[in-house]
Amino acid sequence: MKQLKEDIKSRSFHSVYLLYGEESYLVRQYREELKQAVLDGGDEMNYAYFEGSGVSVSEVQEIAETLPFFQDYRIIIWEGSKLFKSANDFAGYLPGMPETTILVFVEKEVDKRNKLYKYVQKNGLAVEMTAMSTADTKKFIALKLRDNERKIRESTADYFLEQVECSLNNIENELEKLIAYTHGREEITREDVDAICSVQVTGQIFKMLDAAAAGNKREVMQFYHDLLMLKESPMSILYLLTRHFNILLQVKTFSGSPSKQEIAKKIGIPPFSVAKYQAQCRRYTKERLKEMLFLCVNTEYKFKQGRLSDQIGVEMLLVDLIM
């Protein structure tokens, strides 16, 4: 990422780039910044865009061979080529591509054993856009709000991140809603978040299990019915509970890992959510987490056998989960 920023700033480009990873907001942002840096204020005469795996490779190569008009470089962006997930000979073409052509691949997933990936890694620049750390996400929030003459306390930012779906795309959308909602005043409060933001279902599951650990049956059932009101089906809630217990068990297992970033990467959760999972883990032993995960799986098994309905099955499960 640091090298990519330097390339954009200095306009000293590699011939081929690969932008990929789970954080689509960052992928899109740097794709556009790279495009603008290459075009350097010029029009799009020297820009070509392709999408999908059905694109003719020969057509891409033909455009790549065309020298730029009245500019230093020509840029080609190819999204979703899937060349980094399959065997192909495209890497053999790249050494002979004109130095005036900049080729940018944008992919969701790559196979790092792939021949083309290895070529880009060695001769170009492959940049994985992963979920940002908690600190960087908070900086993103603060900058977005500052640009719109808003402020937020750190404790409120923490609460905001607990409530909303964690991708930067969604965070930006929710911030836009908060900015519009708080027109005429500066500080965004916790009450504003409750009033306007789309509640993340995962946040409701956290609250439900906190209530279960505290033995509060009334709150557990209230959260369950709230989820039903959000149009979540009982089987969807069961899936979320199963996933949640699976994550808790993994977090408990990885408790000796040196950093939250490493735990997040191993499990596949946002870095800023690790602390919350760790806090909830402390309320359960490893054996209890295994038991609860078994109860979830057993409930699904009974439902599929036709031995109980989905709603009754989940309600009985929730009663069993209360400590």
Side-chain angles (χ1 to χ4, degrees), residues 27-37 47 77:
V27 172
R28 187 176 70 250
Q29 175 184 322
Y30 282 103
R31 179 199 66 193
E32 289 305 306
E33 288 188 17
L34 189 55
K35 172 188 169 185
Q36 296 305 321
Y47 165 64
I77 296 178

Side-chain angles (χ1 to χ4, degrees), residues 141-191:
I141 292 170
L143 287 172
K144 177 73 176 176
L145 294 179
R146 186 191 68 184
D147 290 345
N148 289 273
E149 301 180 339
R150 298 289 191 281
K151 291 181 180 179
I152 190 169
R153 297 175 188 270
E154 186 171 3
S155 59
T156 307
D158 287 332
Y159 180 72
F160 169 76
L161 288 174
E162 290 173 2
Q163 301 309 308
V164 304
E165 194 271 316
C166 60
S167 72
L168 287 183
N169 278 329
N170 189 68
I171 287 173
E172 184 177 49
N173 290 337
E174 296 299 327
L175 289 175
E176 293 285 359
K177 288 160 61 177
L178 283 168
I179 290 164
Y181 182 74
T182 56
H183 177 72
R185 56 189 171 87
E186 189 177 54
E187 184 177 348
I188 289 174
T189 66
R190 188 172 177 140
E191 289 72 27

